[in-house]
Amino acid sequence: STYLTRKGRCSVEIFTILRFPDPRLKLVAQPVIRFDDSLGQTCANMLQTMYAANGIGLAATQVNIQQQILVVDLSAANNQPLVIINPTIMNKAGSIIWEEGCLSFPGIYAKVKRSEKINLEFYDPQGQRQNMSVEGLLAICIQHEIDHLNGITFVDHLSPLRKKLLRNKLDKISQES
C-alpha cells in the first residue's frame, strides 16, 4: 500500500501495537507541533496498522509514538478514515454504556460508561483546525482513543470488582507478552 505526499508516493509501514501490561501505554502524548509529510506518513501508517489489526480506532501511544494523534474508521469497507490531531473535547452530553474492546488488550471486553455526544476541536493532518460534533459509537471510539493519549486504558474505567473478575485474563495477556 502507498501513501501520496507532496514529494510523491511513500510506502506504508505496519506498526507493532503495544500490549498490556507494557508501561508505555501509560505515557501521556505530547501535542503535535509540526504538520509535515512525516506526520502524514505516520497517520497513513497508523491507519494501515489499525486496518491490519481489524480495529476501528488506534491512538499513537498504542504504537509507541508519544504524540496526540488518533485514527478512527467505523466503515465496513475501511474507506472513511478520520485522523484527529491534538484533540480537545469542548463539551459532552448524555451517557451511554457500551461493551468496549482494545487492540492493546486482545480478547478483553468490558462495559464502559462514556458520554453519548461530544463536541470536539482538533487539527487535521494539514494543520487546519476542525470542529466536530459526534455521537454514539463514533463518540465512544474517539473518547477511548483520547484516553490512550492521556495514558488511560478502558480497563482503568472499570470498578475494582470488575477488574478483579478480569484479572485472570489480564494476567494471561501479560504472561504472553
Side-chain angles (χ1 to χ4, degrees), residues 61-75:
T61 49
Q62 289 179 274
V63 291
N64 198 30
I65 295 170
Q66 306 311 322
Q67 290 191 295
Q68 292 181 16
I69 306 166
L70 66 90
V71 296
V72 176
D73 190 340
L74 302 184
S75 68

Side-chain angles (χ1 to χ4, degrees), residues 13-26 42 44-66 71 101-107 144-145 148 153-154 173 176-177:
E13 176 188 350
I14 302 293
F15 292 136
T16 300
I17 297 172
L18 301 180
R19 291 194 169 178
F20 175 83
D22 194 307
R24 294 172 291 182
L25 289 169
K26 291 296 187 182
T42 297
N45 292 345
M46 284 178 60
L47 282 164
Q48 289 308 314
T49 300
M50 178 185 71
Y51 294 143
N54 294 313
I56 60 171
L58 183 69
T61 49
Q62 289 179 274
V63 291
N64 198 30
I65 295 170
Q66 306 311 322
V71 296
C102 180
L103 296 175
S104 294
F105 290 80
H144 176 111
E145 303 310 334
H148 273 298
T153 67
F154 81 114
I173 290 174
E176 291 168 2
S177 55

Side-chain angles (χ1 to χ4, degrees), residues 56-142:
I56 60 171
L58 183 69
T61 49
Q62 289 179 274
V63 291
N64 198 30
I65 295 170
Q66 306 311 322
Q67 290 191 295
Q68 292 181 16
I69 306 166
L70 66 90
V71 296
V72 176
D73 190 340
L74 302 184
S75 68
N78 292 344
N79 62 0
Q80 294 171 24
L82 181 58
V83 176
I84 295 174
I85 300 168
N86 300 343
T88 303
I89 294 176
M90 303 310 285
N91 41 58
K92 303 175 176 189
S95 72
I96 186 169
I97 295 174
W98 196 271
E99 187 165 70
E100 296 185 21
C102 180
L103 296 175
S104 294
F105 290 80
I108 301 281
Y109 299 91
K111 288 182 176 11
V112 177
K113 185 177 179 180
R114 301 226 184 241
S115 297
E116 189 174 15
K117 298 177 184 178
I118 59 171
N119 185 276
L120 189 68
E121 215 172 73
F122 65 97
Y123 291 88
D124 66 21
Q126 291 72 44
Q128 300 300 309
R129 185 188 296 267
Q130 305 288 330
N131 198 303
M132 184 168 64
S133 293
V134 295
E135 59 185 72
L137 182 57
L138 185 55
I140 291 163
C141 190
I142 290 171

Side-chain angles (χ1 to χ4, degrees), residues 11 38-39 41 90 93 114 122 129 158:
S11 63
S38 168
L39 174 64
Q41 181 70 49
M90 303 310 285
R114 301 226 184 241
F122 65 97
R129 185 188 296 267
L158 304 180

Side-chain angles (χ1 to χ4, degrees), residues 145-163:
E145 303 310 334
I146 288 174
D147 273 357
H148 273 298
L149 298 180
N150 292 313
I152 300 165
T153 67
F154 81 114
V155 173
D156 296 327
H157 288 278
L158 304 180
S159 69
L161 176 62
R162 190 73 183 109
K163 281 183 195 167

